[in-house]
DNA sequence: GTCTATATTTCGATAGAC
DNA sequence: GTCTATCGAAATATAGAC
């Protein structure tokens, strides 16, 4: 049936993305070759081009995963709504809940910022709003005092980047404790 | 005189590093070619090899700059001293003071984490202790409660990463205000 | 959908003159 | 210290068979 073929293709596509995600995090986007991705999947490099038009396209798809993670549900991207500190906290709390299941994706972004931005420059018509770009736009709202905007930036960067450190050294903590403490930290920064 | 030749060489070396720093931040380490660096300096690619043994060597020198920035003065790297939250705050406060004059260097690290780590893997004998590695070691001290270590990680990541956002959108703030507010945020996270 | 083989390009690095 | 010229390696991407 057509249905089966479609799902099989989709499955392979997702498998490629999973492998690419692991390698991009471990070695970095630029130092990971398509040959390596293909080898780990058990087929040849050329086969990747049946599923993705280019290497950038693979990163773009992973970008999309992260984008979905941040901007779906949770009331984002705030269709026209003006940002407030309260909304910011709500958004970050929602995001923190998703962290344990999506560490790799966040690590990808943290460790390959330059590659993501180059992608954005090149394919600006497809990447309509980069992650950082949308958050920056929210932080540019002049109706919020500068000092509060600094706090909002620190809070966001703290949970994104703090994860890289905590991943290895805090294995003793459960996900629930981690999530809970990240929220407390965010609330402390934003004085809620 | 020999003195003059030496200083001239040193000056060129530093100029190369300055240009490389700008390009590595803007385009990313991997997507910046030696040809571009040389072109911007007004001489040929091969000339770079008189001053640096390899492209990695240039990044290594910039790594050294960052290393100096973080671990000189300020009582680091804590020769054997056990880390405490109080010491952590002191260290971060000292670091925050240096931020305005060294934004590019921090941005380099934030935007090219993967490249830095690859460097570390390859030249482990020369990069005796990577930035993140030393900080991670401090955060692994089991005598500090897990929750407090999360806070310490968030505080550090917050000031490193928050800078990337604040750079563009908070041009209205003076460096003094920025430094002051970053310190307040750090203190809030660490409940000092 | 996956393969082999190859085209094309770009880059890091070296050799040797000046 | 800087140049021109070139090497060699690796990577992305394509062509065409199966």
């Amino acid at each position: 049936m057509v249905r089966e073929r479609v799902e099989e293709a989709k499955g392979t596509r997702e498998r490629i993305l999973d492998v690419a995600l692991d390698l991009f995090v471990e070695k970095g986007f630029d130092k990971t070759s398509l040959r390596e991705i293909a080898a780990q999947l058990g087929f040849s490099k050329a086969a990747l081009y049946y599923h993705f038009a280019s290497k950038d396209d693979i990163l773009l798809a992973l970008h999309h995963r992260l984008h979905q993670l941040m901007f779906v549900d949770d009331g984002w991207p705030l269709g026209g709504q003006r940002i407030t500190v309260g909304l910011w906290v709500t958004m970050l709390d929602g995001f923190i809940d998703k962290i344990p299941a999506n560490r790799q994706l966040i690590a990808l972004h943290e460790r390959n910022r330059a590659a993501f931005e180059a992608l954005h420059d090149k394919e600006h018509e497809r990447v309509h709003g980069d992650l950082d770009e949308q958050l920056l736009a929210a932080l540019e709202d002049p109706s919020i005092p500068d000092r509060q905007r600094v706090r909002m930036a620190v809070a966001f960067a703290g949970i994104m980047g703090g994860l890289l450190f905590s991943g290895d050294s805090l294995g003793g903590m459960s996900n629930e404790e981690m999530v809970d403490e990240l929220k407390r930290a965010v609330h402390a920064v934003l004085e809620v």
Side-chain angles (χ1 to χ4, degrees), chain A residues 5-17:
Chain A
R5 268 207 300 275
V6 170
E7 280 181 347
E8 205 174 6
K10 198 176 178 183
T12 301
R13 212 185 128 93
E14 295 304 312
R15 273 177 60 225
I16 292 172
L17 290 179

Side-chain angles (χ1 to χ4, degrees), chain A residues 96 159 170 173-188:
Chain A
I96 289 171
I159 60 177
L170 292 168
M173 264 182 121
S174 71
N175 283 341
E176 290 74 22
E177 281 176 311
M178 177 73 78
V179 163
D180 186 58
E181 194 59 27
L182 285 175
K183 287 182 182 175
R184 286 175 193 272
V186 164
H187 294 186

Side-chain angles (χ1 to χ4, degrees), chain A residues 9-155:
Chain A
K10 198 176 178 183
T12 301
R13 212 185 128 93
E14 295 304 312
R15 273 177 60 225
I16 292 172
L17 290 179
D18 290 340
V19 169
L21 176 56
D22 282 344
L23 288 172
F24 290 169
V25 169
E26 186 192 327
K27 312 188 43 171
F29 174 73
D30 295 281
K31 291 190 178 65
T32 300
S33 68
L34 296 179
R35 193 201 137 277
E36 280 179 284
I37 297 173
Q40 188 150 327
L41 282 160
F43 51 67
S44 98
K45 181 182 59 171
L48 292 176
Y49 283 91
Y50 176 82
H51 300 277
F52 294 95
S54 68
K55 187 185 179 185
D56 280 354
D57 222 47
I58 297 179
L59 186 61
L60 194 65
L62 290 171
H63 166 94
H64 187 64
R65 276 193 184 178
L66 184 60
H67 196 268
Q68 289 287 107
L69 181 63
M70 293 219 58
F71 294 118
V72 175
D73 312 325
D74 300 333
W76 278 76
L78 310 163
Q81 198 177 174
R82 224 174 59 199
I83 189 73
T84 65
V85 175
L87 267 176
W88 194 256
V89 171
T90 302
M91 186 281 266
L92 291 185
D93 278 351
F95 179 66
I96 289 171
D97 285 325
K98 298 174 181 170
I99 285 180
N102 296 280
R103 287 199 175 192
Q104 285 285 87
L105 216 44
I106 298 170
L108 172 70
H109 182 260
E110 287 297 293
R111 292 171 50 89
N112 296 279
R113 277 220 162 110
F116 267 96
E117 197 156 307
L119 195 67
H120 182 249
D121 291 343
K122 196 176 176 185
E123 322 224 9
H124 48 87
E125 65 276 1
R126 301 180 65 185
V127 188
H128 50 296
D130 185 61
L131 186 61
D132 294 335
E133 193 184 320
Q134 287 209 25
L135 296 172
L136 260 177
L139 286 176
E140 268 167 2
D141 187 332
S143 70
I144 300 177
D146 285 346
R147 288 180 178 272
Q148 233 166 26
R149 285 191 275 161
V150 171
R151 297 285 187 117
M152 289 160 74
V154 169

